[in-house]
Amino acid sequence: MSIGNSPEDDRTFPSDDREPIGRTLQQARIAAGLSVEEVSASTRVRIPIVHGIEEDDFSRCGGDVYARGHIRTLARAVGLDPAPLIERYDADHGGRPAPTPAAPLFEAERIRPEPRRPNWTAAMVAAIVAVVGFVGFTMFNGAEQPKGTTAAEGGPAPAPEKATSAAKPKPVKPAPKPTESAIAAVPADKVTVKLTADGKSWISAKASDGKMLFDGFLQEGDTKTFQDDEQVDLVLGNAGAIELYVNGKKVSEKFEDGQVERLSYTKGDPEAG
């Protein structure tokens, strides 16, 4: 006599026929005709992380917040609605994390307002302008005073009887005020990344040797610049609030508010890579 499953058994042990998150993303990518490398280039999510997510391995994401952000980014890149995938991830990993601001985790120990560094470029330009102006003024006065004459005590030197345009030196023009592009000039043999915050955002920056260059918050109006011989790796907690310049050129890509971005830049034109 064969024994079958009763309706009660089906109700007690329901089958979960939902497609895994990684499998769903992988099938959508293949259907869109995209490779992992192309998805990585368009989303700036590193290739090993894309592979891991497609295998439902979220250990490389760095936590639930980053994992949810990567799922959302990859879903949009392959033409999927990210909301059902996020809900499925939350259901499989203990629910959506409470929207507790990250500020208390970092501000208590690591985040201290840094004193503004003096603008040495502007100071050097001002000094050069002063020296050039003084030299020009001295040369101008020396050329106009005729030989064999002296100024009366307490009065100006007498003007020459005849002055020709050939003998009169041209007045020295003051050096132009340095523009933002001149100040932002960077050496070609290094990678230089400059961040300006339009709002509050947590960021971290690492050099090519893994050394942590900065880990903390930028407030609105704050600016940070990082340099390395080979590569600078960034994590932007609120990418939409950051204005980014790489190797002296503004990055045209627009990020969304609240979006987490992991970025890496090397020497050369940031748009070329």
Side-chain angles (χ1 to χ4, degrees):
M1 179 178 65
S2 62
I3 300 175
N5 290 333
S6 67
E8 288 78 11
D9 291 337
D10 292 338
R11 288 193 299 270
T12 305
F13 303 100
S15 60
D16 190 354
D17 58 354
R18 296 180 304 172
E19 188 81 14
I21 296 172
R23 177 68 174 169
T24 301
L25 290 171
Q26 185 184 54
Q27 289 180 341
R29 173 180 61 76
I30 295 173
L34 298 173
S35 66
V36 172
E37 290 74 13
E38 289 171 331
V39 170
S40 175
S42 65
T43 62
R44 296 189 182 277
V45 178
R46 290 184 297 170
I47 291 176
I49 296 179
V50 177
H51 280 303
I53 291 176
E54 289 191 352
E55 296 172 1
D56 280 314
D57 178 8
F58 303 97
S59 60
R60 295 187 178 185
C61 294
D64 290 340
V65 174
Y66 294 119
R68 295 172 81 253
H70 290 327
I71 293 172
R72 182 181 294 107
T73 300
L74 295 177
R76 289 171 177 168
V78 298
L80 292 179
D81 180 7
L85 299 179
I86 297 298
E87 291 178 0
R88 192 181 308 171
Y89 179 86
D90 291 340
D92 294 340
H93 295 79
R96 182 172 182 172
T100 303
L105 301 178
F106 300 95
E107 291 179 340
E109 297 181 1
R110 293 185 289 184
I111 306 306
R112 297 181 177 86
E114 293 190 358
R116 298 263 183 187
R117 295 182 179 179
N119 192 337
W120 293 114
T121 303
M124 290 177 63
V125 172
I128 292 173
V129 171
V131 172
V132 172
F134 176 76
V135 172
F137 178 77
T138 303
M139 293 176 61
F140 181 79
N141 283 350
E144 288 218 344
Q145 182 173 340
K147 295 181 180 180
T149 61
T150 58
E153 294 184 3
E161 295 181 0
K162 295 183 180 180
T164 63
S165 58
K168 184 177 180 180
K170 296 181 180 180
V172 178
K173 295 182 181 180
K177 183 178 179 181
T179 62
E180 182 179 352
S181 60
I183 294 176
V186 295
D189 60 342
K190 293 181 181 294
V191 53
T192 303
V193 178
K194 176 183 176 183
L195 300 91
T196 299
D198 294 331
K200 186 175 181 180
S201 176
W202 173 81
I203 68 167
S204 73
K206 287 185 179 180
S208 58
D209 60 359
K211 178 182 178 182
M212 182 67 71
L213 302 176
F214 183 79
D215 183 9
F217 281 89
L218 291 186
Q219 305 292 339
E220 182 176 358
D222 287 351
T223 296
K224 281 286 184 184
T225 301
F226 308 107
Q227 262 190 357
D228 188 72
D229 292 336
E230 298 296 335
Q231 179 172 310
V232 173
D233 296 323
L234 300 174
V235 179
L236 309 181
N238 180 17
I242 296 298
E243 192 173 71
L244 195 57
Y245 294 83
V246 178
N247 300 329
K249 182 176 180 180
K250 184 176 180 180
V251 176
S252 59
E253 182 174 358
K254 298 296 183 182
F255 302 120
E256 296 182 8
D257 291 340
Q259 182 177 352
V260 177
E261 287 289 343
R262 293 175 177 267
L263 310 170
S264 296
Y265 292 104
T266 56
K267 293 176 283 189
D269 189 343
E271 302 297 334

